Amino acid sequence: MPETFKAILVSRDAEKKQSVEIVDFGEADLMEGDVTVAVEATTVNYKDGLAITGKAPVIRRWPLVPGIDFAGTVLSSSHADWRKGDKVILNGWGVGETHFGAYAGRARVNGGWLVPLPDGISAHDAMAVGTAGYTAMLSVMALERHGILPDRGPVVVTGAAVGVGSVAVSILSSLGYHVIASTGRNAESSYLIDLGAAEVISREELSQPAKPLAKERWAGGIDAVGSHTLANVLSMTAYGGAVAACGLASGMDLPSSVAPFILRGVSLLGIDSVMAPKAVRLEAWRRIGSDLDLKKLAGLSTTIGFDGIITAAHDIVEGKIRGRMVVDM
Ligand code: NDP
């Protein structure tokens, strides 16, 4: 009898009412692709929370197995780059949005989407980093390319207590930056200091409508929040600075003005992890292997099993989760 494995399947009815169930799948139920992977670890990202709760239209193919990232071992491959037994990571490329994703015992994907698991990193550790950590590294690399190095002055990280923000704080502090962490969870100050933040500020300081220009407070920043927060971060960025925008936790709008750009030469750097070219991904994962203190990951992440994914998805959308949520399958 063909082997079966558990999968989370999100469906919707004729009235577009969404439902989520755990089903038994076989390989024949998977979508097309040239590499089949045994999923060993995955994670619950904010985007996965939005997909499972239906709070935002992340899913664009019905029904769908959600889960935007995984690490695992190749079971079979007709792709030239991969052989049975290879350890791989996948982030993005529409997996968990338009292609069956990580929340199943197996995934069949396009081999061009995979990158090798860096030496010395386990599948669990790679997912403790996850898409959030990989996005944080893409943001750090963007700041570096723009010349925002530790000697330029402080950098601010918004949405710091969770996901992208927490890994960004950790990487930036390891690289020697003076990190100002902004969080809505004052109780997490000591956690952020342990991660390497030099200062912790309240989310409220940045959530009111922004002035076109405000007092210069930092050389740059990584913003996972969007809306008024990003507008404030821009208005407080010093002359010639840069801000990497990677998230929209507070909103997709940007109620700002051109003042920071045309009067202070500030740059806004867009970060997309989903369709990032392979060379950029390989460099980001190489840097994660070298610049992220993997020991800190243990403190950054909580481990759950497959059966905890749906609850965790609701919790992340309700802001009840701290750090990264790793799923050992
Ligand atoms: P998390 O939910 O883990 O983190 C978002 C954090 O933002 C929250 O924990 C909170 O931090 C802060 N936040 C939430 N709501 C508000 C609000 N109303 N006002 C201000 N701050 C708020 O999500 P992730 O870290 O996984 O992702 C962060 C963002 O980045 C998301 O919008 C996600 O969609 C996006 N993203 C983008 C990617 C890309 O390719 N560009 C890839 C991955 C994620 P705190 O409690 O510390 O204030």
Side-chain angles (χ1 to χ4, degrees), residues 189-246:
S189 289
S190 58
Y191 162 75
L192 287 163
I193 301 281
D194 286 348
L195 275 185
E199 297 173 52
V200 179
I201 62 171
S202 163
R203 184 197 286 181
E204 277 80 53
E205 277 193 44
L206 303 175
S207 60
Q208 302 308 313
K211 293 179 188 159
L213 289 178
K215 184 169 174 276
E216 297 182 10
R217 293 177 73 178
W218 33 71
I222 295 179
D223 177 66
V225 173
S227 193
H228 293 300
T229 302
L230 176 54
N232 276 297
V233 167
L234 287 166
S235 76
M236 295 173 189
T237 298
Y239 194 92
V243 177
C246 64

Side-chain angles (χ1 to χ4, degrees), residues 150-172:
D151 61 0
R152 288 284 296 272
V155 287
V156 66
V157 175
T158 62
V162 195
V164 175
S166 58
V167 187
V169 170
S170 181
I171 296 170
L172 289 166

Side-chain angles (χ1 to χ4, degrees), residues 44-215:
V44 181
N45 297 282
Y46 190 75
K47 196 171 192 177
D48 299 315
L50 295 176
I52 286 181
T53 59
K55 210 178 153 204
V58 170
I59 295 179
R60 283 170 283 126
R61 183 244 185 241
W62 303 89
L64 189 93
V65 176
I68 63 168
D69 49 12
F70 63 74
T73 303
V74 172
L75 291 172
S76 61
S77 167
S78 58
H79 188 282
D81 291 353
W82 307 109
R83 288 204 199 109
K84 185 176 178 187
D86 286 344
K87 302 280 184 193
V88 292
I89 303 175
L90 183 138
N91 303 98
W93 293 117
V95 169
E97 300 181 57
T98 54
H99 191 97
F100 283 6
Y103 297 158
R106 293 183 186 184
R108 189 181 295 124
V109 297
N110 178 338
W113 297 343
L114 297 165
V115 295
L117 189 66
D119 288 343
I121 299 189
S122 66
H124 177 96
D125 285 347
M127 287 299 106
V129 176
T131 295
Y134 149 68
T135 303
M137 182 53 87
L138 292 177
S139 304
V140 171
M141 286 161 50
L143 290 180
E144 289 174 341
R145 273 199 305 278
H146 200 80
I148 308 301
L149 299 172
D151 61 0
R152 288 284 296 272
V155 287
V156 66
V157 175
T158 62
V162 195
V164 175
S166 58
V167 187
V169 170
S170 181
I171 296 170
L172 289 166
S173 71
S174 299
L175 292 171
Y177 287 86
H178 179 107
V179 182
I180 302 174
S182 159
T183 182
R185 307 169 207 211
N186 296 338
E188 301 298 351
S189 289
S190 58
Y191 162 75
L192 287 163
I193 301 281
D194 286 348
L195 275 185
E199 297 173 52
V200 179
I201 62 171
S202 163
R203 184 197 286 181
E204 277 80 53
E205 277 193 44
L206 303 175
S207 60
Q208 302 308 313
K211 293 179 188 159
L213 289 178
K215 184 169 174 276

